[in-house]
Amino acid sequence: MLTPSQIQSWHHDGYLVLPGFKSAGQRADLSARAREIVDAFEPDAQTGVFSTVDPSRTADRALLASASEVHCFFEEEAFDAMGRLRQAKALSINKIGHAMHDRDPVFSRFSRGPDLAAVAAGVGLVEPLIWQSQVIFKQPGIGGEVRWHQDATYFVTTPVTVTTFWFALEDATVDNGCLWVEPGGHRGPLRERFVRSGDQLGLERLDPTPWPTQAGAVPVEVPAGSLVLLHGLLPHYSAPNRSPRSRLAYTLHVTDGRSEYAAGNWLQRDASLPVSGFAQRSV
Ligand code: FE2
């Protein structure tokens, strides 16, 4: 349950930090399951990352296939010119996505429940629909930058309702690549849209408004266990992780079922795995 002052700051800033939302035990369970998934992952069989024919098409296909499945995605430059991993697989993964919450019991349990339903209601999601889950590793030393963007770019709805639930599985600091946000920036326009046309994916510029400058950005340093909520229009980025510590995070992207979900969004679900909300369910 959010307090009136939390709801007020959500509307004012476009983001909200809820410390202590997940226990150490819950985080440990999810992290352990994530590492099991990585251990079991066979890179060349599922990702085709070794293809040199058309790497962008290969990447698009891997992304599209992950809409209803569980895939591991590598850091850029994880492989050398011969297609060999430069370092251990467990240290080369960028993220896991995008249907763990609907495919894996451990992830489903972490991603649902009355506490999350209450938070969703507090930020105005009347019929929450969880479209996507991601484990983001931000590996020590090589974890890459994620440039300024708005999450509504990837989940276009009318009106904009997508809300990001970002769980810190480990402490997130400036040193290990925490989120940076532009407080109040959610009142600006949607600048880009990520659209699918057939099997092709690409970014379209919608609005010329520039991204914020560093002077307008504030770091969201949070202890492990915190839940950070981001409005879909809030500009945010994260810096590379040049520290010796990882910055493990877990995210859910949630829309309101009362808004119209664009047919051009890359992530679509059919009746074989319908999108659902925060009520606990067996998967
Ligand atoms: Fe984002």
Side-chain angles (χ1 to χ4, degrees), residues 10 14-15 120 123-134 149-166 186 190 192-194 228-236 251-262 265-267 275 278:
W10 163 254
Y15 73 103
V123 296
L125 295 165
V126 174
E127 297 173 16
L129 296 174
I130 311 171
W131 285 93
Q132 160 177 294
S133 47
Q134 299 184 102
H149 66 280
Q150 297 158 297
D151 287 352
T153 288
Y154 301 93
F155 296 91
V156 174
T157 63
T158 309
V160 174
T161 58
V162 68
T163 303
T164 304
F165 290 63
W166 193 101
H186 62 303
L190 182 62
E192 297 169 328
R193 174 172 68 169
F194 188 70
V228 182
L229 300 164
L230 302 176
H231 188 285
L233 289 176
L234 187 78
H236 60 283
T251 67
L252 300 171
H253 286 89
V254 182
T255 67
D256 191 324
R258 299 174 308 164
S259 61
E260 185 190 345
Y261 189 81
N265 287 335
W266 79 268
L267 200 165
V275 67
F278 286 111

Short mmCIF file of all heavy atoms in Angstrom, two decimals, residues 10 14-15 120 123-134 149-166 186 190 192-194 228-236 251-262 265-267 275 278:
data_model
loop_
_atom_site.label_atom_id
_atom_site.label_comp_id
_atom_site.label_asym_id
_atom_site.label_seq_id
_atom_site.Cartn_x
_atom_site.Cartn_y
_atom_site.Cartn_z
N TRP A 10 5.34 10.18 -6.69
CA TRP A 10 5.27 9.43 -7.96
C TRP A 10 4.76 10.33 -9.08
O TRP A 10 5.36 10.40 -10.16
CB TRP A 10 4.35 8.20 -7.78
CG TRP A 10 3.88 7.58 -9.05
CD1 TRP A 10 2.63 7.65 -9.59
CD2 TRP A 10 4.65 6.79 -9.97
NE1 TRP A 10 2.56 6.96 -10.77
CE2 TRP A 10 3.79 6.43 -11.03
CE3 TRP A 10 5.98 6.38 -9.99
CZ2 TRP A 10 4.22 5.65 -12.10
CZ3 TRP A 10 6.41 5.61 -11.06
CH2 TRP A 10 5.53 5.25 -12.09
N GLY A 14 7.80 11.12 -11.35
CA GLY A 14 7.78 10.07 -12.38
C GLY A 14 8.54 8.83 -11.99
O GLY A 14 8.71 7.92 -12.80
N TYR A 15 9.02 8.80 -10.74
CA TYR A 15 9.63 7.57 -10.23
C TYR A 15 9.45 7.55 -8.73
O TYR A 15 9.14 8.57 -8.10
CB TYR A 15 11.11 7.46 -10.62
CG TYR A 15 12.04 8.39 -9.88
CD1 TYR A 15 12.85 7.93 -8.84
CD2 TYR A 15 12.12 9.74 -10.22
CE1 TYR A 15 13.71 8.77 -8.16
CE2 TYR A 15 12.98 10.59 -9.55
CZ TYR A 15 13.77 10.10 -8.52
OH TYR A 15 14.61 10.95 -7.85
N ALA A 120 0.78 -1.60 -7.62
CA ALA A 120 0.26 -1.32 -8.96
C ALA A 120 -1.00 -0.45 -8.87
O ALA A 120 -1.15 0.53 -9.60
CB ALA A 120 -0.04 -2.63 -9.70
N VAL A 123 -0.21 3.22 -8.11
CA VAL A 123 0.28 4.07 -9.21
C VAL A 123 -0.72 4.10 -10.37
O VAL A 123 -0.40 4.57 -11.46
CB VAL A 123 1.68 3.66 -9.71
CG1 VAL A 123 2.71 3.86 -8.60
CG2 VAL A 123 1.70 2.22 -10.23
N GLY A 124 -1.94 3.61 -10.12
CA GLY A 124 -3.02 3.82 -11.08
C GLY A 124 -3.22 2.73 -12.11
O GLY A 124 -3.98 2.91 -13.06
N LEU A 125 -2.55 1.59 -11.94
CA LEU A 125 -2.75 0.48 -12.87
C LEU A 125 -3.98 -0.31 -12.40
O LEU A 125 -3.92 -1.05 -11.42
CB LEU A 125 -1.51 -0.42 -12.92
CG LEU A 125 -0.24 0.23 -13.46
CD1 LEU A 125 0.99 -0.61 -13.12
CD2 LEU A 125 -0.35 0.42 -14.98
N VAL A 126 -5.10 -0.13 -13.10
CA VAL A 126 -6.36 -0.74 -12.66
C VAL A 126 -6.43 -2.21 -13.07
O VAL A 126 -6.88 -3.06 -12.30
CB VAL A 126 -7.55 0.06 -13.23
CG1 VAL A 126 -8.88 -0.63 -12.90
CG2 VAL A 126 -7.54 1.48 -12.67
N GLU A 127 -5.98 -2.49 -14.29
CA GLU A 127 -5.92 -3.89 -14.78
C GLU A 127 -4.49 -4.20 -15.19
O GLU A 127 -4.17 -4.22 -16.39
CB GLU A 127 -6.86 -4.07 -15.98
CG GLU A 127 -8.33 -3.86 -15.66
CD GLU A 127 -9.20 -3.88 -16.92
OE1 GLU A 127 -8.73 -4.35 -17.98
OE2 GLU A 127 -10.34 -3.38 -16.85
N PRO A 128 -3.59 -4.40 -14.22
CA PRO A 128 -2.18 -4.60 -14.58
C PRO A 128 -1.95 -5.86 -15.40
O PRO A 128 -2.51 -6.91 -15.12
CB PRO A 128 -1.47 -4.68 -13.22
CG PRO A 128 -2.53 -5.00 -12.23
CD PRO A 128 -3.82 -4.46 -12.77
N LEU A 129 -1.12 -5.72 -16.41
CA LEU A 129 -0.73 -6.84 -17.27
C LEU A 129 0.80 -6.86 -17.34
O LEU A 129 1.43 -5.89 -17.76
CB LEU A 129 -1.30 -6.66 -18.69
CG LEU A 129 -2.82 -6.68 -18.83
CD1 LEU A 129 -3.22 -6.36 -20.26
CD2 LEU A 129 -3.38 -8.05 -18.41
N ILE A 130 1.39 -7.98 -16.90
CA ILE A 130 2.86 -8.09 -16.90
C ILE A 130 3.30 -8.65 -18.25
O ILE A 130 3.11 -9.83 -18.54
CB ILE A 130 3.35 -9.03 -15.77
CG1 ILE A 130 2.70 -8.66 -14.44
CG2 ILE A 130 4.88 -8.97 -15.67
CD1 ILE A 130 2.96 -9.69 -13.34
N TRP A 131 3.92 -7.80 -19.06
CA TRP A 131 4.32 -8.22 -20.41
C TRP A 131 5.69 -8.89 -20.43
O TRP A 131 5.94 -9.77 -21.25
CB TRP A 131 4.34 -7.02 -21.36
CG TRP A 131 2.97 -6.60 -21.74
CD1 TRP A 131 2.20 -5.64 -21.13
CD2 TRP A 131 2.17 -7.14 -22.79
NE1 TRP A 131 0.99 -5.57 -21.74
CE2 TRP A 131 0.94 -6.48 -22.77
CE3 TRP A 131 2.38 -8.13 -23.75
CZ2 TRP A 131 -0.09 -6.76 -23.66
CZ3 TRP A 131 1.36 -8.41 -24.66
CH2 TRP A 131 0.15 -7.73 -24.61
N GLN A 132 6.56 -8.45 -19.57
CA GLN A 132 7.97 -8.83 -19.76
C GLN A 132 8.68 -8.90 -18.42
O GLN A 132 8.44 -8.09 -17.53
CB GLN A 132 8.61 -7.77 -20.64
CG GLN A 132 10.11 -7.68 -20.58
CD GLN A 132 10.65 -6.65 -21.54
OE1 GLN A 132 10.55 -6.79 -22.74
NE2 GLN A 132 11.23 -5.59 -21.00
N SER A 133 9.59 -9.86 -18.31
CA SER A 133 10.51 -9.91 -17.16
C SER A 133 11.93 -9.98 -17.70
O SER A 133 12.18 -10.57 -18.76
CB SER A 133 10.21 -11.13 -16.28
OG SER A 133 10.07 -12.30 -17.06
N GLN A 134 12.85 -9.36 -16.97
CA GLN A 134 14.26 -9.38 -17.37
C GLN A 134 15.14 -9.46 -16.12
O GLN A 134 14.87 -8.76 -15.15
CB GLN A 134 14.66 -8.10 -18.09
CG GLN A 134 13.91 -7.81 -19.37
CD GLN A 134 14.45 -6.55 -20.05
OE1 GLN A 134 15.20 -6.62 -20.99
NE2 GLN A 134 14.07 -5.39 -19.53
N HIS A 149 16.71 6.62 -22.56
CA HIS A 149 15.53 6.11 -23.27
C HIS A 149 14.32 6.23 -22.36
O HIS A 149 14.44 6.58 -21.19
CB HIS A 149 15.74 4.65 -23.69
CG HIS A 149 15.84 3.71 -22.53
ND1 HIS A 149 16.99 3.54 -21.80
CD2 HIS A 149 14.91 2.91 -21.94
CE1 HIS A 149 16.78 2.67 -20.83
NE2 HIS A 149 15.52 2.27 -20.88
N GLN A 150 13.15 5.95 -22.95
CA GLN A 150 11.90 5.87 -22.19
C GLN A 150 11.34 4.47 -22.43
O GLN A 150 11.29 3.99 -23.56
CB GLN A 150 10.91 6.92 -22.71
CG GLN A 150 11.38 8.36 -22.51
CD GLN A 150 10.67 9.31 -23.47
OE1 GLN A 150 10.80 9.19 -24.70
NE2 GLN A 150 9.92 10.25 -22.92
N ASP A 151 10.88 3.82 -21.39
CA ASP A 151 10.43 2.44 -21.57
C ASP A 151 9.15 2.35 -22.40
O ASP A 151 8.87 1.30 -23.00
CB ASP A 151 10.26 1.75 -20.21
CG ASP A 151 11.61 1.44 -19.57
OD1 ASP A 151 12.64 1.61 -20.24
OD2 ASP A 151 11.63 1.01 -18.40
N ALA A 152 8.38 3.46 -22.48
CA ALA A 152 7.18 3.45 -23.32
C ALA A 152 7.53 3.29 -24.81
O ALA A 152 6.67 2.93 -25.61
CB ALA A 152 6.37 4.74 -23.12
N THR A 153 8.79 3.53 -25.16
CA THR A 153 9.25 3.27 -26.53
C THR A 153 9.01 1.82 -26.93
O THR A 153 8.70 1.53 -28.09
CB THR A 153 10.76 3.61 -26.63
OG1 THR A 153 10.90 5.03 -26.57
CG2 THR A 153 11.39 3.08 -27.90
N TYR A 154 9.16 0.93 -25.97
CA TYR A 154 9.09 -0.52 -26.26
C TYR A 154 7.71 -1.10 -25.97
O TYR A 154 7.43 -2.24 -26.34
CB TYR A 154 10.16 -1.25 -25.44
CG TYR A 154 11.54 -0.74 -25.78
CD1 TYR A 154 12.12 0.29 -25.04
CD2 TYR A 154 12.22 -1.23 -26.88
CE1 TYR A 154 13.37 0.79 -25.38
CE2 TYR A 154 13.46 -0.74 -27.23
CZ TYR A 154 14.03 0.27 -26.48
OH TYR A 154 15.26 0.77 -26.83
N PHE A 155 6.87 -0.33 -25.28
CA PHE A 155 5.52 -0.80 -24.93
C PHE A 155 4.55 0.34 -25.20
O PHE A 155 4.09 1.02 -24.29
CB PHE A 155 5.46 -1.24 -23.46
CG PHE A 155 6.34 -2.41 -23.18
CD1 PHE A 155 7.66 -2.23 -22.77
CD2 PHE A 155 5.89 -3.70 -23.37
CE1 PHE A 155 8.49 -3.31 -22.55
CE2 PHE A 155 6.71 -4.79 -23.16
CZ PHE A 155 8.01 -4.60 -22.75
N VAL A 156 4.27 0.54 -26.49
CA VAL A 156 3.40 1.66 -26.88
C VAL A 156 1.96 1.28 -26.56
O VAL A 156 1.47 0.22 -26.98
CB VAL A 156 3.56 1.96 -28.38
CG1 VAL A 156 2.55 3.02 -28.82
CG2 VAL A 156 4.98 2.40 -28.68
N THR A 157 1.31 2.12 -25.77
CA THR A 157 -0.12 1.97 -25.51
C THR A 157 -0.78 3.33 -25.61
O THR A 157 -0.12 4.36 -25.49
CB THR A 157 -0.42 1.41 -24.10
OG1 THR A 157 0.05 2.33 -23.12
CG2 THR A 157 0.22 0.04 -23.88
N THR A 158 -2.11 3.33 -25.83
CA THR A 158 -2.89 4.57 -25.86
C THR A 158 -3.97 4.48 -24.80
O THR A 158 -4.82 3.61 -24.88
CB THR A 158 -3.54 4.77 -27.24
OG1 THR A 158 -2.54 4.63 -28.25
CG2 THR A 158 -4.17 6.14 -27.34
N PRO A 159 -3.93 5.35 -23.77
CA PRO A 159 -2.83 6.27 -23.46
C PRO A 159 -1.62 5.51 -22.92
O PRO A 159 -1.69 4.29 -22.74
CB PRO A 159 -3.44 7.16 -22.37
CG PRO A 159 -4.43 6.26 -21.67
CD PRO A 159 -5.00 5.38 -22.75
N VAL A 160 -0.52 6.25 -22.66
CA VAL A 160 0.69 5.63 -22.12
C VAL A 160 0.42 5.12 -20.70
O VAL A 160 -0.01 5.89 -19.83
CB VAL A 160 1.85 6.66 -22.07
CG1 VAL A 160 3.06 6.05 -21.37
CG2 VAL A 160 2.22 7.12 -23.46
N THR A 161 0.61 3.83 -20.49
CA THR A 161 0.41 3.28 -19.14
C THR A 161 1.59 2.44 -18.67
O THR A 161 1.62 2.04 -17.49
CB THR A 161 -0.85 2.39 -19.06
OG1 THR A 161 -0.74 1.32 -20.02
CG2 THR A 161 -2.11 3.21 -19.32
N VAL A 162 2.53 2.14 -19.54
CA VAL A 162 3.56 1.17 -19.11
C VAL A 162 4.34 1.72 -17.91
O VAL A 162 4.70 2.90 -17.87
CB VAL A 162 4.51 0.77 -20.27
CG1 VAL A 162 5.40 1.92 -20.71
CG2 VAL A 162 5.36 -0.44 -19.85
N THR A 163 4.53 0.85 -16.96
CA THR A 163 5.20 1.19 -15.71
C THR A 163 6.26 0.11 -15.46
O THR A 163 5.98 -1.08 -15.63
CB THR A 163 4.19 1.21 -14.55
OG1 THR A 163 3.14 2.14 -14.88
CG2 THR A 163 4.84 1.61 -13.25
N THR A 164 7.45 0.55 -15.10
CA THR A 164 8.55 -0.38 -14.86
C THR A 164 8.70 -0.65 -13.38
O THR A 164 8.74 0.29 -12.57
CB THR A 164 9.86 0.21 -15.41
OG1 THR A 164 9.66 0.52 -16.80
CG2 THR A 164 11.02 -0.76 -15.25
N PHE A 165 8.76 -1.93 -13.04
CA PHE A 165 9.04 -2.36 -11.67
C PHE A 165 10.48 -2.86 -11.68
O PHE A 165 10.78 -3.88 -12.31
CB PHE A 165 8.08 -3.47 -11.25
CG PHE A 165 6.65 -3.02 -11.03
CD1 PHE A 165 5.88 -2.51 -12.07
CD2 PHE A 165 6.07 -3.14 -9.78
CE1 PHE A 165 4.57 -2.10 -11.86
CE2 PHE A 165 4.75 -2.73 -9.55
CZ PHE A 165 4.00 -2.21 -10.60
N TRP A 166 11.37 -2.14 -11.05
CA TRP A 166 12.82 -2.42 -11.09
C TRP A 166 13.26 -2.83 -9.69
O TRP A 166 13.25 -2.02 -8.77
CB TRP A 166 13.53 -1.16 -11.56
CG TRP A 166 14.96 -1.24 -11.98
CD1 TRP A 166 15.45 -1.29 -13.26
CD2 TRP A 166 16.12 -1.22 -11.13
NE1 TRP A 166 16.82 -1.31 -13.24
CE2 TRP A 166 17.26 -1.27 -11.96
CE3 TRP A 166 16.31 -1.17 -9.74
CZ2 TRP A 166 18.56 -1.27 -11.45
CZ3 TRP A 166 17.61 -1.18 -9.24
CH2 TRP A 166 18.72 -1.22 -10.09
N HIS A 186 8.86 12.76 -17.04
CA HIS A 186 7.73 11.98 -17.60
C HIS A 186 6.65 12.89 -18.14
O HIS A 186 5.73 12.40 -18.78
CB HIS A 186 7.16 11.06 -16.52
CG HIS A 186 6.59 11.78 -15.34
ND1 HIS A 186 7.33 12.66 -14.57
CD2 HIS A 186 5.35 11.79 -14.79
CE1 HIS A 186 6.57 13.16 -13.61
NE2 HIS A 186 5.37 12.65 -13.72
N LEU A 190 6.89 11.34 -25.80
CA LEU A 190 7.56 10.09 -26.18
C LEU A 190 8.42 10.39 -27.39
O LEU A 190 7.94 10.85 -28.42
CB LEU A 190 6.53 9.00 -26.50
CG LEU A 190 7.13 7.63 -26.87
CD1 LEU A 190 7.93 7.05 -25.71
CD2 LEU A 190 6.01 6.66 -27.27
N GLU A 192 10.72 8.21 -29.03
CA GLU A 192 11.02 7.13 -29.98
C GLU A 192 10.01 6.01 -29.80
O GLU A 192 9.43 5.84 -28.72
CB GLU A 192 12.42 6.55 -29.73
CG GLU A 192 13.55 7.51 -29.93
CD GLU A 192 14.88 6.95 -29.42
OE1 GLU A 192 14.87 6.18 -28.43
OE2 GLU A 192 15.91 7.31 -29.98
N ARG A 193 9.90 5.24 -30.88
CA ARG A 193 9.03 4.05 -30.83
C ARG A 193 9.79 2.90 -31.48
O ARG A 193 10.40 3.07 -32.55
CB ARG A 193 7.76 4.37 -31.64
CG ARG A 193 6.82 3.24 -31.83
CD ARG A 193 5.54 3.72 -32.44
NE ARG A 193 5.74 4.18 -33.83
CZ ARG A 193 4.73 4.47 -34.65
NH1 ARG A 193 3.49 4.40 -34.24
NH2 ARG A 193 4.99 4.83 -35.89
N PHE A 194 9.78 1.76 -30.79
CA PHE A 194 10.44 0.55 -31.31
C PHE A 194 9.37 -0.29 -31.98
O PHE A 194 8.45 -0.76 -31.30
CB PHE A 194 11.09 -0.20 -30.14
CG PHE A 194 11.96 -1.36 -30.54
CD1 PHE A 194 13.18 -1.15 -31.16
CD2 PHE A 194 11.57 -2.65 -30.26
CE1 PHE A 194 14.00 -2.22 -31.50
CE2 PHE A 194 12.39 -3.74 -30.59
CZ PHE A 194 13.60 -3.51 -31.22
N VAL A 228 12.14 0.02 -7.38
CA VAL A 228 12.09 1.34 -8.01
C VAL A 228 11.02 1.29 -9.08
O VAL A 228 11.04 0.40 -9.95
CB VAL A 228 13.45 1.72 -8.65
CG1 VAL A 228 13.38 3.12 -9.25
CG2 VAL A 228 14.57 1.64 -7.61
N LEU A 229 10.08 2.22 -9.03
CA LEU A 229 9.02 2.32 -10.05
C LEU A 229 9.37 3.45 -11.00
O LEU A 229 9.76 4.54 -10.55
CB LEU A 229 7.68 2.61 -9.38
CG LEU A 229 7.21 1.57 -8.36
CD1 LEU A 229 6.09 2.14 -7.50
CD2 LEU A 229 6.75 0.32 -9.07
N LEU A 230 9.22 3.19 -12.29
CA LEU A 230 9.50 4.22 -13.30
C LEU A 230 8.28 4.41 -14.18
O LEU A 230 7.73 3.43 -14.73
CB LEU A 230 10.67 3.80 -14.20
CG LEU A 230 12.02 3.49 -13.56
CD1 LEU A 230 12.99 3.01 -14.63
CD2 LEU A 230 12.58 4.71 -12.86
N HIS A 231 7.86 5.65 -14.36
CA HIS A 231 6.80 5.98 -15.33
C HIS A 231 7.33 5.70 -16.74
O HIS A 231 8.51 5.94 -17.02
CB HIS A 231 6.44 7.45 -15.17
CG HIS A 231 5.25 7.89 -15.97
ND1 HIS A 231 5.30 8.08 -17.33
CD2 HIS A 231 3.98 8.17 -15.60
CE1 HIS A 231 4.11 8.46 -17.76
NE2 HIS A 231 3.29 8.52 -16.74
N GLY A 232 6.45 5.21 -17.62
CA GLY A 232 6.89 4.82 -18.96
C GLY A 232 7.50 5.95 -19.77
O GLY A 232 8.26 5.70 -20.71
N LEU A 233 7.19 7.19 -19.44
CA LEU A 233 7.74 8.32 -20.19
C LEU A 233 8.96 8.94 -19.50
O LEU A 233 9.52 9.92 -20.01
CB LEU A 233 6.67 9.41 -20.37
CG LEU A 233 5.53 9.08 -21.33
CD1 LEU A 233 4.49 10.20 -21.33
CD2 LEU A 233 6.06 8.85 -22.75
N LEU A 234 9.38 8.39 -18.38
CA LEU A 234 10.51 9.00 -17.65
C LEU A 234 11.82 8.67 -18.36
O LEU A 234 12.21 7.51 -18.46
CB LEU A 234 10.57 8.46 -16.22
CG LEU A 234 11.63 9.17 -15.37
CD1 LEU A 234 11.13 10.53 -14.91
CD2 LEU A 234 12.05 8.32 -14.18
N PRO A 235 12.55 9.70 -18.83
CA PRO A 235 13.87 9.42 -19.40
C PRO A 235 14.83 8.89 -18.32
O PRO A 235 14.87 9.42 -17.20
CB PRO A 235 14.34 10.79 -19.91
CG PRO A 235 13.08 11.57 -20.11
CD PRO A 235 12.18 11.11 -19.00
N HIS A 236 15.55 7.81 -18.67
CA HIS A 236 16.51 7.24 -17.73
C HIS A 236 17.61 6.54 -18.50
O HIS A 236 17.46 6.22 -19.68
CB HIS A 236 15.83 6.28 -16.75
CG HIS A 236 15.15 5.12 -17.40
ND1 HIS A 236 13.92 5.23 -18.03
CD2 HIS A 236 15.49 3.81 -17.53
CE1 HIS A 236 13.56 4.05 -18.50
NE2 HIS A 236 14.50 3.17 -18.23
N THR A 251 13.55 -6.78 -13.60
CA THR A 251 12.52 -5.80 -13.97
C THR A 251 11.28 -6.47 -14.52
O THR A 251 11.34 -7.56 -15.13
CB THR A 251 13.03 -4.81 -15.04
OG1 THR A 251 13.26 -5.51 -16.26
CG2 THR A 251 14.31 -4.11 -14.62
N LEU A 252 10.16 -5.81 -14.31
CA LEU A 252 8.89 -6.17 -14.95
C LEU A 252 8.36 -4.95 -15.65
O LEU A 252 8.47 -3.83 -15.13
CB LEU A 252 7.86 -6.61 -13.89
CG LEU A 252 8.22 -7.82 -13.03
CD1 LEU A 252 7.20 -7.99 -11.91
CD2 LEU A 252 8.28 -9.08 -13.90
N HIS A 253 7.78 -5.14 -16.83
CA HIS A 253 7.12 -4.05 -17.53
C HIS A 253 5.63 -4.35 -17.59
O HIS A 253 5.23 -5.41 -18.09
CB HIS A 253 7.73 -3.85 -18.92
CG HIS A 253 9.08 -3.21 -18.85
ND1 HIS A 253 10.24 -3.93 -18.74
CD2 HIS A 253 9.44 -1.90 -18.83
CE1 HIS A 253 11.27 -3.10 -18.66
NE2 HIS A 253 10.81 -1.86 -18.72
N VAL A 254 4.86 -3.40 -17.08
CA VAL A 254 3.45 -3.65 -16.80
C VAL A 254 2.61 -2.55 -17.44
O VAL A 254 2.91 -1.36 -17.27
CB VAL A 254 3.22 -3.66 -15.27
CG1 VAL A 254 1.77 -3.97 -14.94
CG2 VAL A 254 4.16 -4.66 -14.59
N THR A 255 1.58 -2.94 -18.18
CA THR A 255 0.64 -1.94 -18.72
C THR A 255 -0.71 -2.11 -18.05
O THR A 255 -0.95 -3.09 -17.33
CB THR A 255 0.46 -2.08 -20.24
OG1 THR A 255 -0.21 -3.32 -20.52
CG2 THR A 255 1.78 -2.02 -20.99
N ASP A 256 -1.59 -1.15 -18.32
CA ASP A 256 -2.97 -1.23 -17.84
C ASP A 256 -3.82 -1.80 -18.97
O ASP A 256 -3.80 -1.26 -20.10
CB ASP A 256 -3.45 0.17 -17.43
CG ASP A 256 -4.76 0.12 -16.67
OD1 ASP A 256 -5.62 -0.73 -17.00
OD2 ASP A 256 -4.94 0.93 -15.74
N GLY A 257 -4.53 -2.87 -18.69
CA GLY A 257 -5.34 -3.53 -19.71
C GLY A 257 -6.43 -2.65 -20.30
O GLY A 257 -7.00 -2.99 -21.34
N ARG A 258 -6.69 -1.50 -19.66
CA ARG A 258 -7.70 -0.60 -20.21
C ARG A 258 -7.13 0.25 -21.34
O ARG A 258 -7.88 0.92 -22.06
CB ARG A 258 -8.25 0.32 -19.10
CG ARG A 258 -8.94 -0.43 -17.96
CD ARG A 258 -9.31 0.54 -16.85
NE ARG A 258 -8.14 1.33 -16.47
CZ ARG A 258 -8.19 2.45 -15.76
NH1 ARG A 258 -9.34 2.93 -15.35
NH2 ARG A 258 -7.08 3.09 -15.46
N SER A 259 -5.80 0.28 -21.46
CA SER A 259 -5.19 1.04 -22.57
C SER A 259 -5.02 0.12 -23.78
O SER A 259 -4.95 -1.10 -23.64
CB SER A 259 -3.84 1.65 -22.15
OG SER A 259 -2.93 0.63 -21.77
N GLU A 260 -4.94 0.74 -24.94
CA GLU A 260 -4.83 -0.05 -26.18
C GLU A 260 -3.37 -0.38 -26.45
O GLU A 260 -2.52 0.53 -26.56
CB GLU A 260 -5.41 0.75 -27.34
CG GLU A 260 -5.43 -0.03 -28.64
CD GLU A 260 -5.79 0.87 -29.82
OE1 GLU A 260 -6.29 1.99 -29.58
OE2 GLU A 260 -5.52 0.47 -30.97
N TYR A 261 -3.03 -1.65 -26.53
CA TYR A 261 -1.67 -2.12 -26.74
C TYR A 261 -1.39 -2.17 -28.23
O TYR A 261 -2.11 -2.84 -28.98
CB TYR A 261 -1.52 -3.50 -26.10
CG TYR A 261 -0.11 -4.04 -26.04
CD1 TYR A 261 0.77 -3.64 -25.04
CD2 TYR A 261 0.34 -4.96 -26.98
CE1 TYR A 261 2.06 -4.15 -24.97
CE2 TYR A 261 1.63 -5.47 -26.92
CZ TYR A 261 2.49 -5.06 -25.92
OH TYR A 261 3.76 -5.56 -25.86
N ALA A 262 -0.35 -1.47 -28.69
CA ALA A 262 -0.12 -1.30 -30.13
C ALA A 262 0.23 -2.62 -30.81
O ALA A 262 1.04 -3.41 -30.31
CB ALA A 262 0.99 -0.29 -30.35
N ASN A 265 4.01 -3.26 -31.45
CA ASN A 265 4.98 -3.56 -30.39
C ASN A 265 5.66 -4.90 -30.68
O ASN A 265 5.01 -5.85 -31.13
CB ASN A 265 4.29 -3.63 -29.02
CG ASN A 265 3.89 -2.26 -28.50
OD1 ASN A 265 4.47 -1.25 -28.87
ND2 ASN A 265 2.89 -2.23 -27.65
N TRP A 266 6.95 -4.98 -30.38
CA TRP A 266 7.69 -6.21 -30.70
C TRP A 266 7.15 -7.39 -29.90
O TRP A 266 7.14 -8.51 -30.39
CB TRP A 266 9.18 -6.03 -30.44
CG TRP A 266 9.59 -6.14 -29.00
CD1 TRP A 266 9.70 -5.12 -28.10
CD2 TRP A 266 9.93 -7.33 -28.29
NE1 TRP A 266 10.08 -5.62 -26.88
CE2 TRP A 266 10.23 -6.96 -26.96
CE3 TRP A 266 10.02 -8.69 -28.63
CZ2 TRP A 266 10.60 -7.88 -25.98
CZ3 TRP A 266 10.39 -9.61 -27.66
CH2 TRP A 266 10.68 -9.20 -26.35
N LEU A 267 6.71 -7.12 -28.67
CA LEU A 267 6.32 -8.23 -27.80
C LEU A 267 4.81 -8.42 -27.90
O LEU A 267 4.03 -7.57 -27.50
CB LEU A 267 6.72 -7.93 -26.35
CG LEU A 267 6.83 -9.12 -25.40
CD1 LEU A 267 7.58 -8.73 -24.13
CD2 LEU A 267 5.50 -9.72 -25.03
N VAL A 275 -1.18 -12.84 -21.48
CA VAL A 275 -0.57 -11.95 -20.52
C VAL A 275 -1.50 -11.83 -19.31
O VAL A 275 -2.72 -11.90 -19.44
CB VAL A 275 -0.30 -10.58 -21.20
CG1 VAL A 275 -1.56 -9.85 -21.57
CG2 VAL A 275 0.63 -9.73 -20.39
N PHE A 278 -0.97 -9.51 -11.37
CA PHE A 278 -0.19 -9.81 -10.17
C PHE A 278 -0.79 -10.88 -9.28
O PHE A 278 -0.21 -11.19 -8.23
CB PHE A 278 0.04 -8.52 -9.37
CG PHE A 278 1.05 -7.60 -10.00
CD1 PHE A 278 0.65 -6.38 -10.55
CD2 PHE A 278 2.39 -7.94 -10.06
CE1 PHE A 278 1.56 -5.52 -11.13
CE2 PHE A 278 3.32 -7.09 -10.64
CZ PHE A 278 2.91 -5.89 -11.18
#
